[in-house]
Amino acid sequence: MFVKIDTIRDEVIGLRPMYCEHGDITELYTVSGEVRLDRRSIRSVRKAFLRSYAIDTAAQAEMVKTWIGRAGAVPFYIDNRRMFVALKMRKAISSNDVTYGYLDINFIENVISESETLTVKLIDGTCLPLYCTYNTAVQTIYQGRQLLASLENNISNDEEIIIQAVQILVSRLKELEKLLSKFNLLNKD
């Protein structure tokens, strides 16, 4: 019944927070249309998901916040083909309650607003309830598609990130060298 996301990571197209008798768990939606359960909270599952691809969750979130110019629940991506957007998928029961789930935009067909309910329809026909406005859902998905397009068009993005990381490392090493040389001068006396 329960599975860890790392074991089905390449099949996952959605993460949805849920309550059950076990506490907070996460529904995992797969390419085949199956819904599997991970007994961990969505925060832990999201971290484990990204960690299984050797992605630094915090660093990526900071970069995405800068790119899109907003904080809060931001999209995350696995590579330049898999972008997961954050959509409010349940009502909060208590403070600090996580209400956002994540869906791969490649599997979102559309957002449906009927009377007082809002749902997101996946390409396999699955409909999931949303707890935000229609405009918010559509804008979030659009923004995710734009972000994915920029990742797809910028194949050298990884190379640029590596170059930036190396430049930061070199500058830190130079600072460390200066500190060590000062320390050595002090010890000579």
Side-chain angles (χ1 to χ4, degrees), residues 113-157:
S113 179
E114 292 177 351
S115 61
E116 294 185 28
T117 62
L118 185 67
T119 57
V120 59
K121 184 177 182 183
L122 304 181
I123 60 174
D124 68 358
T126 302
C127 289
L128 301 171
L130 295 179
Y131 296 91
C132 59
T133 66
Y134 178 82
N135 286 341
T136 299
V138 170
Q139 286 174 346
T140 299
I141 293 166
Y142 176 73
Q143 191 173 52
R145 288 198 169 126
Q146 283 187 310
L147 193 53
L148 181 62
S150 71
L151 287 173
E152 288 172 343
N153 292 334
N154 192 2
I155 294 170
S156 64
N157 189 31

Side-chain angles (χ1 to χ4, degrees), residues 179-189:
L179 287 171
L180 287 173
S181 69
K182 286 180 184 179
F183 183 73
N184 285 338
L185 289 175
L186 291 175
N187 284 340
K188 287 182 181 181
D189 294 337

Side-chain angles (χ1 to χ4, degrees), residues 13-98:
I13 62 166
L15 312 169
R16 183 172 170 234
M18 250 188 90
Y19 300 115
C20 76
E21 64 274 4
H22 301 286
D24 281 343
I25 64 170
T26 303
E27 285 183 331
L28 306 174
Y29 291 83
T30 65
V31 174
S32 64
E34 277 186 286
V35 179
R36 308 289 294 273
L37 301 175
D38 190 315
R39 69 173 70 235
R40 297 172 290 179
S41 72
I42 195 159
R43 283 185 180 131
S44 298
V45 170
R46 181 176 171 267
K47 284 179 185 176
F49 189 29
L50 289 168
R51 192 174 43 245
S52 74
Y53 288 100
I55 296 171
D56 182 340
T57 309
Q60 187 187 86
E62 285 304 312
M63 285 187 343
V64 172
K65 285 177 185 178
T66 303
W67 293 340
I68 65 175
R70 79 176 163 109
V74 295
F76 68 87
Y77 60 95
I78 303 300
D79 51 31
N80 65 348
R81 292 178 304 279
R82 295 178 71 193
M83 174 69 62
F84 289 77
V85 292
L87 295 164
K88 192 169 183 179
M89 297 182 151
R90 75 175 182 193
K91 291 182 181 178
I93 290 180
S94 63
S95 63
N96 266 349
D97 193 12
V98 180

